[in-house]
Amino acid sequence: PFIAGRGPALGGSPRHLLRLDEEHFIFSVNERVLRCGLEWKLTPVASFGSSVMAIIPDEHRMIVVCEDGTIAAIDRVTLAATTLQRRPDKIAAAAALPWLGGQRLLLATADGAIDCIGADDDLVSQFTSPHRGLRQVTASSAHVAALSADRARLIVWNAWDGKMPARELSIAGLTPHRAADLLLATDGTDTQKEASS
């Protein structure tokens, strides 16, 4: 509640709030990443030249994905920021895909494909569909899911096959609202859940 109430003072709305350690949280405001302690002290961590689209926790770092294609890492202990890659395409949404005991990054691009990359390697695969401008992306070990540009359709791929969607679901058929966000359950049931606005 404290952070949410600080929107105007921060120069924008806080997003991507994650626990950094036992006493601190990390979040973004536009192109900046900040840390907040339990004592509510705000500390600037890093500033990028483009809006932060996602902060993805890794074992020893936080992976920051920016709209202009910059991918950076912030060390959980030292808070040192290091640029890992600069992708050629603008990023509309990003998420982590659990993969072989680690994770890959899913980057939804403007041309409709979702690039699947490693933060520290050059190997790229894709999840493709006829849809353009995907708004959200999420994943479990079994599925990758995204929202269409109008937030009215859910597109789902099998995690091991990105050549074409396994299925599509009309959200309008389930609710009179459009989807605001998307989450795949990770408790073993692997069901899709949409939070509508």
Side-chain angles (χ1 to χ4, degrees):
F2 174 84
I3 294 176
R6 292 293 300 273
L10 292 172
S13 299
R15 301 177 64 201
H16 315 300
L17 179 68
L18 292 169
R19 181 180 292 278
L20 183 63
D21 55 39
E22 291 300 317
E23 298 183 355
H24 299 93
F25 295 89
I26 194 168
F27 64 98
S28 70
V29 177
N30 301 325
E31 72 282 353
R32 296 175 294 137
V33 176
L34 299 100
R35 181 180 71 169
C36 178
L38 297 179
E39 72 285 3
W40 307 119
K41 179 182 177 184
L42 294 175
T43 304
V45 174
S47 184
F48 302 94
S50 180
S51 295
V52 174
M53 302 307 290
I55 301 176
I56 299 170
D58 207 343
E59 186 176 1
H60 300 293
R61 59 191 181 173
M62 294 290 195
I63 305 296
V64 179
V65 179
C66 298
E67 185 180 25
D68 68 354
T70 299
I71 299 173
I74 295 174
D75 187 277
R76 285 179 180 261
V77 177
T78 67
L79 300 182
T82 306
T83 299
L84 303 176
Q85 296 185 29
R86 292 193 190 277
R87 307 293 301 167
D89 300 314
K90 284 193 172 183
I91 307 300
L97 170 66
W99 194 256
L100 300 176
Q103 66 182 10
R104 308 285 291 169
L105 299 178
L106 295 171
L107 308 174
T109 60
D111 71 358
I114 299 174
D115 289 342
C116 180
I117 69 165
D120 302 303
D121 64 57
D122 296 325
L123 179 64
V124 179
S125 59
Q126 288 188 324
F127 292 86
T128 60
S129 79
H131 296 276
R132 298 291 178 265
L134 299 174
R135 294 294 181 186
Q136 294 282 339
V137 62
T138 189
S140 69
S141 58
H143 295 100
V144 171
L147 288 177
S148 59
D150 62 2
R151 297 183 181 272
R153 297 193 70 77
L154 175 67
I155 304 103
V156 182
W157 295 260
N158 291 318
W160 59 89
D161 182 12
K163 290 189 291 294
M164 61 184 300
R167 58 187 166 273
E168 291 189 24
L169 177 66
S170 171
I171 294 169
L174 300 174
T175 173
H177 306 286
R178 294 173 190 238
D181 207 346
L182 181 64
L183 171 70
L184 285 180
T186 56
D187 61 358
T189 60
D190 198 35
T191 58
Q192 292 78 34
K193 300 178 181 178
E194 303 88 40
S196 300
S197 65

